[in-house]
Amino acid sequence: MPASGLKNAQSKRTHGWMGIKRGHNAHPVEWIAEKFIALVSLSAILMIFLIFVFIGRESLPIFLGQMNSSPQQEVIPPEKMDSLKPEVLRTYLGLTPDEFANMDRETKIALMEVKVEGALEGADHPDAKINTTQWRYLLFPYKWEGYEKPEYIWQPVGLIHKYNIIPLLIGSLKISLIAIVLAVPVSIGAAIYVSQLATPRMKEILKPIIEMLAGIPSVVLGFFALLVMASVLQSIFGYETRLNSFLAGTALSLAVIPIIFSIAEDALTSVPRAYSQAALALGASKWQAASQIVLPAAVPGVFAAIVLGFGRALGETMIVLMTSAASVVSWSIFDSARPITASIAAELLEAVVGGHHYRMLFMLGTLLFIFTFLLNLIGDVVMNRLKSRLEGKK
C-alpha cells in the first residue's frame, strides 16, 4: 500500500475511534433508563432502612429500660400540671416531643387523671409495684399472684400487664418449623421431578400450576384453613384444640411450598446438562443421575431456597393470625400457639400510642427484623461455603 493510503487509513481509524460517543451523549434513552433503575434500587434499600429506623425508634424505650408498666407508681395530681416543667410532664405522661406539642391541655389533664385512677385501682394488688417491661420479666418466668409456680405469660390486658416474650418466640419457631418440615420434602421432590424427570410437556403444565400457589392471597389460605382444614385435621388426628400449631404450620406450608420450589427448581435446572448426560452414559438411571449427581451439585441453591422459605414462614401474618389462638408455652404440635406476627397484627390497634403495650409490640417487630436478618446472613455464609467446597476452592 502506498504511504499516502496507509496514512489515510490510520487517520480514519484514529478519527473513528475518537468519534465514538459514550454515556448520555451516545444513547440518552439507555442512560436515563440505567439511572432510573439505579435510583429505584437505592430507593428500595433506603425504604427498608427507614422502616427499620422507625421500628427501632419506637421500641428503643423498652430496650433502654425507660418504660414503666407498674400500676402503683408515683402519681401527680392534675391540679399541679401547671407547676411542672414541660419536659417533666412529657416524661411523666410517656409522650414523644411531637405528641406532647400537638396535644391540647384537656387531653393532658385526662391522661393525668387516668394515671391517678390506675394507681388507686392497683393499690392493693401484690404485683402492682412490678414493672413488667424489665428484661427479667420479659425473658424469665415469674410467680404471679394467683399462680402456683413461676410461669411464662404473655397477657397484655388487665390490671397487671404481663409481657413475657418466650411464649411468642416458641410459637413462631414451632409453627415455622412445622411448615418447613412439611414443605421441604414436597417442594424439593417436585423441583427434582419437574427439572430432571418430567417430560417437556409435563413440565410446562406442572411448573405454572405449582408457582400459581404463590399468587393466592394469604387471607384466602387462612380462611380455607380455618373453615375446612381445621375440621378435617381434627377429625383425622382427634386432638382437642381445634386451632393449634399443627393446623397453622400445615396451612403455612401451602404458602412456603411455591417459594422453595421455584428457587430449588432454578438451581437444579442451572446445573450443566453434561453432568446428568455423563451419568446416563455410564448406565445410571434418570433418578440416580438426579439424586446423586444433579442434586448435590445444586445444594447451595437448594439451601438458599430453604432459608428463604423459613424466612417467609417467620414473617407470615394472616395465615397464622386466623389459625392460631392463645400463646402457650408447649412444644407439642397439637397445643395452641401464638406467633409474634399474629400478636402484633391482633393487638397493635388496641394499644395506646406511646404506651408500654405499644412499645412492646414494636420491640417484638424489631426482634423479628433482627432475627430474619441474621437468618438470611447465616444462610448466605453457609451457601457460599457450600458453593466454594463444591467448586474445589478453599
Short mmCIF file of all heavy atoms in Angstrom, two decimals, residues 202-266:
data_model
loop_
_atom_site.label_atom_id
_atom_site.label_comp_id
_atom_site.label_asym_id
_atom_site.label_seq_id
_atom_site.Cartn_x
_atom_site.Cartn_y
_atom_site.Cartn_z
N MET A 202 -45.06 -32.23 30.30
CA MET A 202 -45.48 -32.27 31.70
C MET A 202 -44.88 -31.11 32.49
O MET A 202 -45.54 -30.55 33.39
CB MET A 202 -45.06 -33.60 32.32
CG MET A 202 -45.55 -33.82 33.74
SD MET A 202 -47.34 -33.86 33.87
CE MET A 202 -47.69 -35.39 32.98
N LYS A 203 -43.66 -30.73 32.18
CA LYS A 203 -43.02 -29.60 32.87
C LYS A 203 -43.78 -28.31 32.60
O LYS A 203 -43.95 -27.48 33.50
CB LYS A 203 -41.57 -29.48 32.41
CG LYS A 203 -40.81 -28.34 33.06
CD LYS A 203 -39.36 -28.32 32.62
CE LYS A 203 -38.61 -27.19 33.30
NZ LYS A 203 -37.18 -27.17 32.89
N GLU A 204 -44.25 -28.11 31.36
CA GLU A 204 -45.00 -26.90 31.03
C GLU A 204 -46.32 -26.83 31.78
O GLU A 204 -46.86 -25.74 31.99
CB GLU A 204 -45.25 -26.85 29.53
CG GLU A 204 -43.99 -26.66 28.70
CD GLU A 204 -44.28 -26.68 27.21
OE1 GLU A 204 -45.46 -26.86 26.85
OE2 GLU A 204 -43.34 -26.50 26.41
N ILE A 205 -46.84 -27.98 32.18
CA ILE A 205 -48.12 -28.00 32.91
C ILE A 205 -47.90 -27.84 34.42
O ILE A 205 -48.57 -27.04 35.07
CB ILE A 205 -48.88 -29.31 32.61
CG1 ILE A 205 -49.23 -29.39 31.11
CG2 ILE A 205 -50.15 -29.40 33.46
CD1 ILE A 205 -49.86 -30.70 30.72
N LEU A 206 -46.96 -28.61 34.97
CA LEU A 206 -46.79 -28.65 36.41
C LEU A 206 -46.17 -27.37 36.98
O LEU A 206 -46.60 -26.87 38.03
CB LEU A 206 -45.93 -29.85 36.82
CG LEU A 206 -46.56 -31.23 36.62
CD1 LEU A 206 -45.57 -32.32 37.01
CD2 LEU A 206 -47.83 -31.35 37.45
N LYS A 207 -45.15 -26.84 36.32
CA LYS A 207 -44.44 -25.69 36.88
C LYS A 207 -45.35 -24.47 37.07
O LYS A 207 -45.37 -23.87 38.17
CB LYS A 207 -43.25 -25.33 36.00
CG LYS A 207 -42.38 -24.23 36.60
CD LYS A 207 -41.14 -23.97 35.76
CE LYS A 207 -40.28 -22.87 36.38
NZ LYS A 207 -39.07 -22.60 35.58
N PRO A 208 -46.15 -24.07 36.09
CA PRO A 208 -47.04 -22.92 36.35
C PRO A 208 -48.08 -23.19 37.43
O PRO A 208 -48.45 -22.29 38.18
CB PRO A 208 -47.71 -22.68 34.98
CG PRO A 208 -46.81 -23.33 33.99
CD PRO A 208 -46.22 -24.51 34.69
N ILE A 209 -48.57 -24.45 37.49
CA ILE A 209 -49.59 -24.77 38.50
C ILE A 209 -49.03 -24.62 39.91
O ILE A 209 -49.66 -24.03 40.79
CB ILE A 209 -50.13 -26.19 38.27
CG1 ILE A 209 -50.93 -26.25 36.97
CG2 ILE A 209 -50.99 -26.63 39.45
CD1 ILE A 209 -51.42 -27.63 36.64
N ILE A 210 -47.80 -25.14 40.14
CA ILE A 210 -47.20 -25.04 41.48
C ILE A 210 -46.87 -23.60 41.82
O ILE A 210 -47.14 -23.12 42.94
CB ILE A 210 -45.95 -25.92 41.56
CG1 ILE A 210 -46.32 -27.39 41.33
CG2 ILE A 210 -45.27 -25.77 42.92
CD1 ILE A 210 -45.13 -28.32 41.29
N GLU A 211 -46.31 -22.88 40.86
CA GLU A 211 -45.96 -21.48 41.12
C GLU A 211 -47.19 -20.61 41.28
O GLU A 211 -47.11 -19.53 41.87
CB GLU A 211 -45.08 -20.95 39.99
CG GLU A 211 -43.69 -21.60 39.95
CD GLU A 211 -42.84 -21.07 38.82
OE1 GLU A 211 -43.42 -20.45 37.90
OE2 GLU A 211 -41.61 -21.28 38.85
N MET A 212 -48.33 -21.06 40.76
CA MET A 212 -49.56 -20.30 40.90
C MET A 212 -50.01 -20.21 42.36
O MET A 212 -50.74 -19.29 42.75
CB MET A 212 -50.66 -20.92 40.04
CG MET A 212 -51.87 -20.03 39.81
SD MET A 212 -53.10 -20.87 38.78
CE MET A 212 -52.11 -21.11 37.29
N LEU A 213 -49.57 -21.16 43.18
CA LEU A 213 -49.92 -21.11 44.60
C LEU A 213 -49.40 -19.84 45.27
O LEU A 213 -49.99 -19.36 46.24
CB LEU A 213 -49.36 -22.34 45.33
CG LEU A 213 -50.03 -23.69 45.03
CD1 LEU A 213 -49.24 -24.80 45.69
CD2 LEU A 213 -51.46 -23.69 45.51
N ALA A 214 -48.28 -19.32 44.76
CA ALA A 214 -47.72 -18.10 45.35
C ALA A 214 -48.61 -16.89 45.14
O ALA A 214 -48.52 -15.90 45.86
CB ALA A 214 -46.33 -17.83 44.77
N GLY A 215 -49.50 -16.97 44.14
CA GLY A 215 -50.40 -15.85 43.86
C GLY A 215 -51.68 -15.87 44.67
O GLY A 215 -52.46 -14.91 44.61
N ILE A 216 -51.91 -16.93 45.43
CA ILE A 216 -53.12 -16.99 46.26
C ILE A 216 -52.93 -16.09 47.48
O ILE A 216 -51.94 -16.23 48.20
CB ILE A 216 -53.41 -18.44 46.71
CG1 ILE A 216 -53.62 -19.34 45.49
CG2 ILE A 216 -54.64 -18.48 47.60
CD1 ILE A 216 -53.85 -20.79 45.83
N PRO A 217 -53.85 -15.17 47.74
CA PRO A 217 -53.68 -14.29 48.91
C PRO A 217 -53.62 -15.07 50.22
O PRO A 217 -54.27 -16.11 50.38
CB PRO A 217 -54.93 -13.40 48.85
CG PRO A 217 -55.39 -13.46 47.43
CD PRO A 217 -55.03 -14.83 46.94
N SER A 218 -52.85 -14.56 51.14
CA SER A 218 -52.69 -15.23 52.43
C SER A 218 -54.01 -15.33 53.18
O SER A 218 -54.28 -16.32 53.86
CB SER A 218 -51.67 -14.49 53.29
OG SER A 218 -50.40 -14.48 52.67
N VAL A 219 -54.85 -14.33 53.04
CA VAL A 219 -56.13 -14.35 53.76
C VAL A 219 -57.03 -15.47 53.24
O VAL A 219 -57.81 -16.06 53.99
CB VAL A 219 -56.82 -12.98 53.65
CG1 VAL A 219 -57.22 -12.68 52.22
CG2 VAL A 219 -58.02 -12.90 54.57
N VAL A 220 -56.91 -15.79 51.94
CA VAL A 220 -57.70 -16.88 51.38
C VAL A 220 -57.22 -18.22 51.94
O VAL A 220 -58.03 -19.09 52.31
CB VAL A 220 -57.61 -16.86 49.84
CG1 VAL A 220 -58.33 -18.07 49.24
CG2 VAL A 220 -58.20 -15.57 49.29
N LEU A 221 -55.89 -18.40 52.00
CA LEU A 221 -55.36 -19.64 52.59
C LEU A 221 -55.76 -19.75 54.06
O LEU A 221 -56.12 -20.84 54.54
CB LEU A 221 -53.84 -19.66 52.45
CG LEU A 221 -53.27 -19.83 51.04
CD1 LEU A 221 -51.75 -19.74 51.07
CD2 LEU A 221 -53.70 -21.16 50.44
N GLY A 222 -55.69 -18.65 54.80
CA GLY A 222 -56.10 -18.68 56.20
C GLY A 222 -57.57 -18.98 56.37
O GLY A 222 -57.97 -19.74 57.27
N PHE A 223 -58.40 -18.42 55.50
CA PHE A 223 -59.84 -18.68 55.57
C PHE A 223 -60.14 -20.14 55.25
O PHE A 223 -60.97 -20.78 55.92
CB PHE A 223 -60.56 -17.77 54.57
CG PHE A 223 -62.05 -17.75 54.72
CD1 PHE A 223 -62.65 -17.12 55.79
CD2 PHE A 223 -62.85 -18.37 53.77
CE1 PHE A 223 -64.03 -17.11 55.92
CE2 PHE A 223 -64.23 -18.37 53.90
CZ PHE A 223 -64.83 -17.73 54.98
N PHE A 224 -59.46 -20.68 54.25
CA PHE A 224 -59.64 -22.10 53.90
C PHE A 224 -59.19 -23.00 55.04
O PHE A 224 -59.85 -24.00 55.37
CB PHE A 224 -58.84 -22.41 52.62
CG PHE A 224 -58.81 -23.86 52.27
CD1 PHE A 224 -59.90 -24.49 51.72
CD2 PHE A 224 -57.66 -24.61 52.49
CE1 PHE A 224 -59.87 -25.84 51.39
CE2 PHE A 224 -57.61 -25.95 52.17
CZ PHE A 224 -58.73 -26.57 51.61
N ALA A 225 -58.07 -22.67 55.67
CA ALA A 225 -57.57 -23.47 56.79
C ALA A 225 -58.52 -23.40 57.98
O ALA A 225 -58.75 -24.40 58.67
CB ALA A 225 -56.17 -23.00 57.19
N LEU A 226 -59.08 -22.22 58.23
CA LEU A 226 -59.96 -22.04 59.39
C LEU A 226 -61.27 -22.81 59.24
O LEU A 226 -61.76 -23.43 60.19
CB LEU A 226 -60.25 -20.55 59.59
CG LEU A 226 -61.19 -20.17 60.74
CD1 LEU A 226 -60.59 -20.57 62.08
CD2 LEU A 226 -61.48 -18.68 60.70
N LEU A 227 -61.84 -22.82 58.03
CA LEU A 227 -63.15 -23.43 57.83
C LEU A 227 -63.09 -24.89 57.41
O LEU A 227 -63.98 -25.66 57.78
CB LEU A 227 -63.93 -22.63 56.77
CG LEU A 227 -64.28 -21.19 57.14
CD1 LEU A 227 -65.12 -20.56 56.04
CD2 LEU A 227 -65.02 -21.11 58.46
N VAL A 228 -62.06 -25.27 56.65
CA VAL A 228 -62.02 -26.62 56.08
C VAL A 228 -60.94 -27.48 56.75
O VAL A 228 -61.22 -28.53 57.33
CB VAL A 228 -61.79 -26.56 54.55
CG1 VAL A 228 -61.73 -27.97 53.98
CG2 VAL A 228 -62.90 -25.76 53.88
N MET A 229 -59.69 -27.01 56.69
CA MET A 229 -58.59 -27.81 57.18
C MET A 229 -58.69 -28.08 58.68
O MET A 229 -58.32 -29.17 59.14
CB MET A 229 -57.25 -27.12 56.86
CG MET A 229 -56.92 -27.06 55.38
SD MET A 229 -55.36 -26.20 55.07
CE MET A 229 -54.21 -27.23 55.98
N ALA A 230 -59.18 -27.12 59.45
CA ALA A 230 -59.26 -27.30 60.90
C ALA A 230 -60.16 -28.47 61.25
O ALA A 230 -59.80 -29.32 62.09
CB ALA A 230 -59.77 -26.02 61.56
N SER A 231 -61.31 -28.56 60.61
CA SER A 231 -62.23 -29.66 60.91
C SER A 231 -61.71 -30.99 60.40
O SER A 231 -61.83 -32.03 61.08
CB SER A 231 -63.60 -29.36 60.29
OG SER A 231 -64.14 -28.15 60.80
N VAL A 232 -61.12 -30.99 59.20
CA VAL A 232 -60.62 -32.24 58.62
C VAL A 232 -59.47 -32.80 59.45
O VAL A 232 -59.45 -34.00 59.79
CB VAL A 232 -60.18 -32.00 57.16
CG1 VAL A 232 -59.48 -33.25 56.60
CG2 VAL A 232 -61.37 -31.64 56.30
N LEU A 233 -58.50 -31.97 59.80
CA LEU A 233 -57.34 -32.45 60.59
C LEU A 233 -57.76 -32.88 61.99
O LEU A 233 -57.21 -33.85 62.53
CB LEU A 233 -56.29 -31.35 60.66
CG LEU A 233 -55.60 -30.98 59.34
CD1 LEU A 233 -54.61 -29.84 59.55
CD2 LEU A 233 -54.89 -32.18 58.75
N GLN A 234 -58.72 -32.18 62.58
CA GLN A 234 -59.16 -32.57 63.91
C GLN A 234 -59.86 -33.94 63.88
O GLN A 234 -59.70 -34.75 64.78
CB GLN A 234 -60.11 -31.52 64.48
CG GLN A 234 -60.49 -31.77 65.94
CD GLN A 234 -61.38 -30.68 66.50
OE1 GLN A 234 -62.11 -30.03 65.76
NE2 GLN A 234 -61.30 -30.47 67.81
N SER A 235 -60.63 -34.19 62.82
CA SER A 235 -61.29 -35.49 62.70
C SER A 235 -60.30 -36.62 62.43
O SER A 235 -60.52 -37.76 62.84
CB SER A 235 -62.34 -35.44 61.58
OG SER A 235 -61.72 -35.18 60.32
N ILE A 236 -59.20 -36.31 61.76
CA ILE A 236 -58.20 -37.34 61.45
C ILE A 236 -57.34 -37.67 62.67
O ILE A 236 -57.16 -38.84 63.02
CB ILE A 236 -57.32 -36.88 60.27
CG1 ILE A 236 -58.15 -36.80 58.98
CG2 ILE A 236 -56.14 -37.84 60.07
CD1 ILE A 236 -57.38 -36.24 57.80
N PHE A 237 -56.82 -36.63 63.34
CA PHE A 237 -55.88 -36.85 64.44
C PHE A 237 -56.56 -36.89 65.80
O PHE A 237 -55.95 -37.35 66.77
CB PHE A 237 -54.80 -35.77 64.43
CG PHE A 237 -53.92 -35.81 63.22
CD1 PHE A 237 -54.16 -34.99 62.12
CD2 PHE A 237 -52.84 -36.68 63.17
CE1 PHE A 237 -53.35 -35.03 61.01
CE2 PHE A 237 -52.02 -36.72 62.05
CZ PHE A 237 -52.27 -35.90 60.96
N GLY A 238 -57.76 -36.38 65.91
CA GLY A 238 -58.50 -36.48 67.15
C GLY A 238 -58.00 -35.64 68.30
O GLY A 238 -58.24 -35.96 69.46
N TYR A 239 -57.31 -34.55 68.05
CA TYR A 239 -56.85 -33.69 69.13
C TYR A 239 -57.99 -32.79 69.60
O TYR A 239 -59.01 -32.62 68.93
CB TYR A 239 -55.64 -32.85 68.71
CG TYR A 239 -55.77 -32.18 67.35
CD1 TYR A 239 -56.60 -31.07 67.19
CD2 TYR A 239 -55.05 -32.63 66.25
CE1 TYR A 239 -56.71 -30.44 65.97
CE2 TYR A 239 -55.16 -32.02 65.02
CZ TYR A 239 -55.99 -30.92 64.88
OH TYR A 239 -56.11 -30.30 63.67
N GLU A 240 -57.82 -32.20 70.79
CA GLU A 240 -58.90 -31.43 71.42
C GLU A 240 -58.93 -29.98 70.93
O GLU A 240 -60.00 -29.45 70.64
CB GLU A 240 -58.74 -31.46 72.94
CG GLU A 240 -58.88 -32.85 73.56
CD GLU A 240 -58.74 -32.82 75.06
OE1 GLU A 240 -58.52 -31.70 75.60
OE2 GLU A 240 -58.84 -33.88 75.69
N THR A 241 -57.78 -29.34 70.87
CA THR A 241 -57.73 -27.92 70.50
C THR A 241 -57.85 -27.79 68.98
O THR A 241 -56.99 -28.25 68.24
CB THR A 241 -56.42 -27.28 70.97
OG1 THR A 241 -56.26 -27.52 72.37
CG2 THR A 241 -56.42 -25.79 70.71
N ARG A 242 -58.89 -27.16 68.52
CA ARG A 242 -59.14 -27.07 67.08
C ARG A 242 -58.11 -26.20 66.38
O ARG A 242 -57.61 -26.56 65.32
CB ARG A 242 -60.55 -26.51 66.84
CG ARG A 242 -60.98 -26.51 65.37
CD ARG A 242 -62.46 -26.16 65.26
NE ARG A 242 -62.91 -26.21 63.88
CZ ARG A 242 -62.90 -25.16 63.05
NH1 ARG A 242 -62.46 -23.99 63.50
NH2 ARG A 242 -63.32 -25.28 61.81
N LEU A 243 -57.79 -25.05 66.96
CA LEU A 243 -56.78 -24.16 66.39
C LEU A 243 -55.48 -24.38 67.14
O LEU A 243 -55.36 -24.00 68.30
CB LEU A 243 -57.23 -22.70 66.50
CG LEU A 243 -58.56 -22.34 65.84
CD1 LEU A 243 -58.87 -20.86 66.00
CD2 LEU A 243 -58.55 -22.72 64.36
N ASN A 244 -54.52 -24.99 66.48
CA ASN A 244 -53.27 -25.34 67.15
C ASN A 244 -52.09 -25.13 66.22
O ASN A 244 -52.26 -24.67 65.07
CB ASN A 244 -53.32 -26.79 67.65
CG ASN A 244 -53.71 -27.76 66.55
OD1 ASN A 244 -53.22 -27.66 65.44
ND2 ASN A 244 -54.61 -28.68 66.86
N SER A 245 -50.91 -25.48 66.70
CA SER A 245 -49.69 -25.28 65.93
C SER A 245 -49.65 -26.12 64.66
O SER A 245 -49.15 -25.68 63.62
CB SER A 245 -48.47 -25.59 66.80
OG SER A 245 -48.48 -24.83 67.98
N PHE A 246 -50.15 -27.34 64.74
CA PHE A 246 -50.13 -28.23 63.58
C PHE A 246 -50.98 -27.67 62.45
O PHE A 246 -50.58 -27.70 61.28
CB PHE A 246 -50.61 -29.62 63.97
CG PHE A 246 -50.58 -30.61 62.86
CD1 PHE A 246 -49.38 -31.07 62.34
CD2 PHE A 246 -51.76 -31.08 62.30
CE1 PHE A 246 -49.35 -31.98 61.30
CE2 PHE A 246 -51.75 -31.99 61.27
CZ PHE A 246 -50.54 -32.44 60.76
N LEU A 247 -52.16 -27.17 62.78
CA LEU A 247 -53.02 -26.57 61.76
C LEU A 247 -52.35 -25.34 61.14
O LEU A 247 -52.33 -25.18 59.91
CB LEU A 247 -54.35 -26.18 62.38
CG LEU A 247 -55.28 -25.34 61.50
CD1 LEU A 247 -55.72 -26.13 60.28
CD2 LEU A 247 -56.49 -24.85 62.30
N ALA A 248 -51.79 -24.47 62.00
CA ALA A 248 -51.14 -23.25 61.50
C ALA A 248 -49.94 -23.59 60.63
O ALA A 248 -49.73 -22.99 59.57
CB ALA A 248 -50.73 -22.37 62.67
N GLY A 249 -49.12 -24.56 61.07
CA GLY A 249 -47.95 -24.95 60.28
C GLY A 249 -48.33 -25.60 58.96
O GLY A 249 -47.69 -25.36 57.91
N THR A 250 -49.38 -26.43 58.97
CA THR A 250 -49.83 -27.07 57.73
C THR A 250 -50.34 -26.03 56.73
O THR A 250 -50.02 -26.08 55.53
CB THR A 250 -50.93 -28.10 58.04
OG1 THR A 250 -50.45 -29.05 58.99
CG2 THR A 250 -51.34 -28.83 56.77
N ALA A 251 -51.14 -25.09 57.21
CA ALA A 251 -51.64 -24.04 56.32
C ALA A 251 -50.50 -23.15 55.84
O ALA A 251 -50.47 -22.73 54.67
CB ALA A 251 -52.69 -23.20 57.06
N LEU A 252 -49.54 -22.89 56.72
CA LEU A 252 -48.41 -22.04 56.34
C LEU A 252 -47.53 -22.72 55.30
O LEU A 252 -46.91 -22.05 54.46
CB LEU A 252 -47.59 -21.70 57.59
CG LEU A 252 -46.48 -20.67 57.46
CD1 LEU A 252 -47.02 -19.35 56.93
CD2 LEU A 252 -45.80 -20.45 58.80
N SER A 253 -47.45 -24.04 55.33
CA SER A 253 -46.63 -24.76 54.34
C SER A 253 -47.15 -24.54 52.93
O SER A 253 -46.37 -24.58 51.96
CB SER A 253 -46.60 -26.26 54.66
OG SER A 253 -47.88 -26.83 54.51
N LEU A 254 -48.46 -24.31 52.77
CA LEU A 254 -49.01 -24.05 51.44
C LEU A 254 -48.47 -22.75 50.85
O LEU A 254 -48.40 -22.61 49.62
CB LEU A 254 -50.54 -24.00 51.51
CG LEU A 254 -51.24 -25.28 51.97
CD1 LEU A 254 -52.74 -25.07 52.03
CD2 LEU A 254 -50.90 -26.44 51.06
N ALA A 255 -48.13 -21.80 51.71
CA ALA A 255 -47.55 -20.54 51.23
C ALA A 255 -46.05 -20.65 51.01
O ALA A 255 -45.48 -19.86 50.26
CB ALA A 255 -47.86 -19.42 52.23
N VAL A 256 -45.40 -21.61 51.68
CA VAL A 256 -43.94 -21.75 51.58
C VAL A 256 -43.54 -22.64 50.40
O VAL A 256 -42.48 -22.43 49.79
CB VAL A 256 -43.39 -22.32 52.91
CG1 VAL A 256 -41.90 -22.59 52.81
CG2 VAL A 256 -43.67 -21.35 54.05
N ILE A 257 -44.37 -23.62 50.06
CA ILE A 257 -44.03 -24.58 49.01
C ILE A 257 -43.66 -23.91 47.69
O ILE A 257 -42.62 -24.24 47.10
CB ILE A 257 -45.17 -25.60 48.82
CG1 ILE A 257 -45.17 -26.61 49.97
CG2 ILE A 257 -45.04 -26.34 47.49
CD1 ILE A 257 -46.33 -27.58 49.94
N PRO A 258 -44.47 -22.98 47.15
CA PRO A 258 -44.08 -22.40 45.84
C PRO A 258 -42.78 -21.61 45.87
O PRO A 258 -42.06 -21.58 44.87
CB PRO A 258 -45.28 -21.49 45.51
CG PRO A 258 -45.96 -21.25 46.79
CD PRO A 258 -45.76 -22.47 47.61
N ILE A 259 -42.45 -21.01 47.00
CA ILE A 259 -41.19 -20.26 47.08
C ILE A 259 -40.00 -21.20 47.02
O ILE A 259 -39.06 -21.01 46.24
CB ILE A 259 -41.17 -19.42 48.38
CG1 ILE A 259 -42.28 -18.38 48.36
CG2 ILE A 259 -39.81 -18.75 48.57
CD1 ILE A 259 -42.38 -17.58 49.63
N ILE A 260 -40.02 -22.25 47.85
CA ILE A 260 -38.91 -23.21 47.86
C ILE A 260 -38.83 -23.92 46.51
O ILE A 260 -37.74 -24.14 45.97
CB ILE A 260 -39.08 -24.22 49.00
CG1 ILE A 260 -39.10 -23.49 50.35
CG2 ILE A 260 -37.97 -25.26 48.98
CD1 ILE A 260 -39.30 -24.41 51.53
N PHE A 261 -39.98 -24.27 45.95
CA PHE A 261 -40.00 -24.97 44.66
C PHE A 261 -39.36 -24.13 43.56
O PHE A 261 -38.53 -24.62 42.78
CB PHE A 261 -41.43 -25.33 44.28
CG PHE A 261 -41.58 -25.77 42.86
CD1 PHE A 261 -41.26 -27.07 42.48
CD2 PHE A 261 -42.02 -24.89 41.88
CE1 PHE A 261 -41.38 -27.48 41.16
CE2 PHE A 261 -42.15 -25.28 40.57
CZ PHE A 261 -41.83 -26.59 40.20
N SER A 262 -39.74 -22.87 43.46
CA SER A 262 -39.25 -22.02 42.36
C SER A 262 -37.74 -21.86 42.42
O SER A 262 -37.03 -22.03 41.41
CB SER A 262 -39.93 -20.66 42.42
OG SER A 262 -41.32 -20.78 42.25
N ILE A 263 -37.21 -21.56 43.60
CA ILE A 263 -35.77 -21.34 43.73
C ILE A 263 -35.00 -22.64 43.56
O ILE A 263 -33.96 -22.69 42.89
CB ILE A 263 -35.45 -20.68 45.08
CG1 ILE A 263 -36.21 -19.35 45.21
CG2 ILE A 263 -33.95 -20.46 45.24
CD1 ILE A 263 -36.04 -18.69 46.56
N ALA A 264 -35.50 -23.73 44.16
CA ALA A 264 -34.81 -25.02 44.03
C ALA A 264 -34.85 -25.52 42.59
O ALA A 264 -33.86 -26.08 42.09
CB ALA A 264 -35.46 -26.04 44.96
N GLU A 265 -35.97 -25.32 41.91
CA GLU A 265 -36.07 -25.76 40.51
C GLU A 265 -35.12 -24.99 39.63
O GLU A 265 -34.48 -25.56 38.72
CB GLU A 265 -37.51 -25.59 40.04
CG GLU A 265 -37.86 -26.35 38.78
CD GLU A 265 -37.56 -25.56 37.52
OE1 GLU A 265 -37.52 -24.32 37.61
OE2 GLU A 265 -37.38 -26.19 36.45
N ASP A 266 -34.97 -23.70 39.85
CA ASP A 266 -34.00 -22.91 39.09
C ASP A 266 -32.57 -23.38 39.36
O ASP A 266 -31.74 -23.44 38.44
CB ASP A 266 -34.13 -21.42 39.43
CG ASP A 266 -35.43 -20.83 38.91
OD1 ASP A 266 -36.01 -21.41 37.98
OD2 ASP A 266 -35.87 -19.79 39.45
#
